[in-house]
Amino acid sequence: MGLRVFSMRCMDLRWSRLSLRYVTSGTTQTRTHTTSASSSASTSASSSAFAADDSASCSTGESVIMAVVPDIAGQLRGKGFPEEDKQSRFERGIGWCPTQMLITAFTEIAPTPYGALDDLQLVPDPDAEVRVESGNGHPPHHFVLANLVHPAGESWDLCLRTYLKRKVQALRDKAGLDLLCAFEHEFHYTGGDTTSAAGYNLRAHRKVNPFATKLIKNMREAGLKPDTFMPEYAPAQCEITMEPAYACRAADEASILREIVRTTADQFGEKASFTPLTTPGGVGNGVHIHMSLWDHESGLPVTHDHNAEHNLSKVALQFSAGVLRALPAIVALTAPSVISYQRLIPHRWSAPFNNLGFRDREAAIRICPGSSLGGQDPAKGTNLEFRAADATASPHLQLGVIVAAGLQGIMEELPSPVVTHEDLTCISAQNLTDLGIQRLPRSLTDALDNLEKMAKQDDRIQALFPQELLDVYLVHKRHEASMMRKLKDDQICKRYLAAY
């Protein structure tokens, strides 16, 4: 779905009843890119008294802040500390160990090269602090995104936030470009309409509207700018889009949004899951990453070219070419679960091929045209939508590897990919090869093998990430695949549904 406005704002806002503050610093910058069992009376009385005392204690007590990092499993993990220690912990961090990056989405630890050795520090980022006031005397949900560093302060190569920052800085230093992004999320909400006619239906909207209204309100008060919300095609499926932000902030906001959605669902006694697939053969949940390139010096959009075919600029085509060249390898990082590959098949509105498509919702990268309606500038609306992704991946790792591959395309001045506008399953394998298009891997195991093979054979793929990150990633994800090997498809779906 096209995104209407791309902007970035530094924020200090809060929820009212379910208050969330996304605390940041700096000046506001804006660029637009259109786009219960019963009990006796005595027991009840004592329980009520206990609850009242507990409520009063929670409302006046000191909160615990969790310093968390996005990990390979697409989770936020970390440690907590008393709020009173906030200033000192923000300066010196809190202890962590490398093996914790090997924890899978199902808690089991993959074979670790680190064992019980070595130390790291989680250093909170004051620009990414979140506080959720639950109300009714309950303690706040208070966390802050952090970076992983060695005890002496140097960055760890497996810190995914730092990985993205480095790639974004390289894009600016080498190509003079900034990237505005927005993550479009699909998810299943247990309080939604479960009938077969739910897709985009007004009736389905009525069913989910209390949740949607609260979610939109919470997002606005949190400083996240909602773009659209809808009951999606599948029963109980929803979609939420946000206005864009600069790449590093966009990835942070994508991680925070998932927590907001889950927290809001909890307030209704429901659950929300971003799993790629809830049932075998069912409609999947994807993540679509909308991106536009902007000149760093002038602040002008450079994705659009009014005189070019499909209105896509030369630099945008080069960026796309770099991503598509690497995609058969990096899809293992952008769609990194066993069930991701039950989505990435033809005729499911996903992305089975490494192609650039014009207004094609089965393309790996879709050219999204800008609109001139309402006096909008099409140049600010034109964007590239990366569709071979889902929420089992860390947004920071997804976006970091995309930026790295796109920058290679720009620096090498790669020729424009063939732009398709047709059903690629109707084209012979030989003709697809002639067009430079190939079918993406069909399982997580195949994707991981392809990633390892291409990294060994092609220095350009190897250069996309540090060797340590690649090695640990392969071990982590191969262990995840092995955990699913003896399970039936419905059991696998249930495990991912609970994990995400």
Side-chain angles (χ1 to χ4, degrees), residues 94 101 203 207 272 274 351 409 464:
I94 187 168
M101 189 60 84
R203 183 182 68 210
K207 172 75 171 178
F274 294 86
L464 297 175

Side-chain angles (χ1 to χ4, degrees), residues 324-452:
L324 295 175
R325 180 180 67 184
L327 187 53
I330 66 173
V331 70
L333 294 93
T334 64
S337 75
V338 171
I339 57 175
S340 296
Y341 296 85
Q342 296 182 37
R343 275 191 66 247
L344 300 180
I345 60 178
H347 307 143
R348 290 180 62 89
W349 287 38
S350 58
F353 298 92
N354 67 329
N355 67 307
L356 176 65
F358 181 63
R359 304 184 184 184
D360 177 6
R361 287 174 171 81
E362 285 212 343
I365 298 178
R366 178 172 76 101
I367 302 171
C368 302
S371 172
S372 59
L373 293 175
Q376 299 176 91
D377 182 355
K380 294 181 178 180
T382 302
N383 67 93
L384 301 169
E385 180 188 23
F386 182 88
R387 298 177 60 84
D390 60 52
T392 58
S394 160
H396 301 81
L397 186 54
Q398 286 173 322
L399 193 51
V401 74
I402 290 170
V403 171
L407 177 59
Q408 286 184 349
I410 294 172
M411 300 311 295
E412 296 176 32
E413 298 184 338
L414 292 182
S416 170
V418 172
V419 178
T420 63
H421 189 59
E422 57 194 310
D423 183 350
L424 298 186
T425 64
C426 297
I427 301 177
S428 70
Q430 183 58 56
N431 285 343
L432 286 175
T433 299
D434 293 342
L435 294 172
I437 297 172
Q438 60 181 287
R439 181 75 158 84
L440 295 178
R442 305 188 187 200
S443 71
L444 177 59
T445 297
D446 288 349
L448 294 169
D449 290 347
N450 205 46
L451 170 61
E452 183 176 39

Side-chain angles (χ1 to χ4, degrees), residues 188 272-275 277-278 339 492-500:
H188 274 73
S273 178
F274 294 86
T275 179
L277 210 61
T278 58
I339 57 175
I492 295 173
C493 287
K494 287 178 180 178
R495 296 209 66 182
Y496 280 103
L497 179 67
Y500 291 95

Side-chain angles (χ1 to χ4, degrees), residues 45 142 183 263 350 388 466 500:
H142 198 168
F183 286 72
T263 299
S350 58
Y500 291 95

Side-chain angles (χ1 to χ4, degrees), residues 233-248:
Y233 178 71
Q237 187 184 33
C238 301
E239 177 184 288
I240 183 74
T241 67
M242 292 187 296
E243 294 181 7
Y246 289 103
C248 294

